[in-house]
Amino acid sequence: MEKKEWVMPTHIVAGAGIVINDKEEVLMIKTYKAGWVFPGGQVENGENVIDAVKREVMEEAGIDIEVGEVFCISSNTGKYPGYNGVKEIPTKIMLDFICRAKNGTPRPSEENSESRYIPKENVLDFIHAPAYIERYKAYLEYTGRPIYMEYVTKPTFELRIKRLI
């Protein structure tokens, strides 16, 4: 039997924020690909996840934030064909934080056509991507213990695990 060479696993790490303003509204951005979502993105090399969330919210919406507690940890365990020389997109680990807006006015960016605050109770009317719907529901269900989810997004969304941790 031929022995395979061990390869170091690769994961994408991402952070996002449910950003709440002083009126208890939620910051949402309208992306060109996924529609309305809460802001966030990949952690860059040498960056910690809290700084990544702050950077992503500032880049995407122009809002300076304070990052609070984690309410959801999720794993997108599907593997998908890559692009730009990447053969395969690996598992993605996402950490979702409850954040408070410190200052700034929502604005669009290169990644989105609009950003604005939406009343908490109306957010699910705007989100269409199933993974974001489940992650926002985790925020609504948060009682002090984070929720862990595993899902795949392609070819169709499938929620495999959802539990408190």
Side-chain angles (χ1 to χ4, degrees):
M1 180 186 282
E2 190 176 320
K3 191 174 182 180
K4 281 187 163 183
E5 181 180 338
W6 183 79
V7 177
M8 176 74 75
T10 303
H11 291 72
I12 296 170
V13 177
I18 298 291
V19 178
I20 309 297
N21 68 6
D22 57 357
K23 296 177 185 174
E24 299 299 310
E25 298 168 317
V26 177
L27 179 66
M28 299 293 290
I29 61 171
K30 187 176 183 181
T31 68
Y32 297 110
K33 292 182 180 181
W36 287 98
V37 298
F38 44 92
Q42 294 184 72
V43 177
E44 296 178 355
N45 285 332
E47 183 178 46
N48 72 62
V49 69
I50 290 174
D51 286 345
V53 172
K54 290 178 180 180
R55 175 185 51 75
E56 287 287 348
V57 172
M58 180 56 75
E59 286 176 2
E60 294 176 354
I63 304 295
D64 185 28
I65 63 168
E66 179 180 320
V67 177
E69 68 263 33
V70 171
F71 69 88
C72 184
I73 300 168
S74 41
S75 297
N76 183 348
T77 55
K79 294 180 182 176
Y80 313 109
Y83 50 90
N84 293 340
V86 176
K87 292 181 183 177
E88 186 176 73
I89 303 298
T91 296
K92 182 184 250 185
I93 304 295
M94 285 142 303
L95 299 151
D96 293 321
F97 294 85
I98 298 172
C99 304
R100 282 278 171 190
K102 292 182 0 184
N103 58 49
T105 301
R107 54 137 177 86
S109 74
E110 291 179 2
E111 298 178 36
N112 61 75
S113 61
E114 185 178 352
S115 65
R116 65 177 160 135
Y117 287 104
I118 296 171
K120 274 184 195 179
E121 62 275 6
N122 297 342
V123 168
L124 287 173
D125 296 335
F126 285 77
I127 304 173
H128 297 292
Y132 279 91
I133 290 170
E134 290 301 325
R135 290 165 57 207
Y136 188 74
K137 285 180 182 177
Y139 164 71
L140 295 175
E141 296 165 6
Y142 180 69
T143 59
R145 285 184 63 192
I147 290 175
Y148 172 75
M149 290 188 285
E150 178 203 351
Y151 54 78
V152 295
T153 53
K154 295 178 184 179
T156 59
F157 180 81
E158 178 189 349
L159 181 60
R160 294 182 172 171
I161 297 171
K162 182 175 182 180
R163 68 179 190 90
L164 289 175
I165 53 174

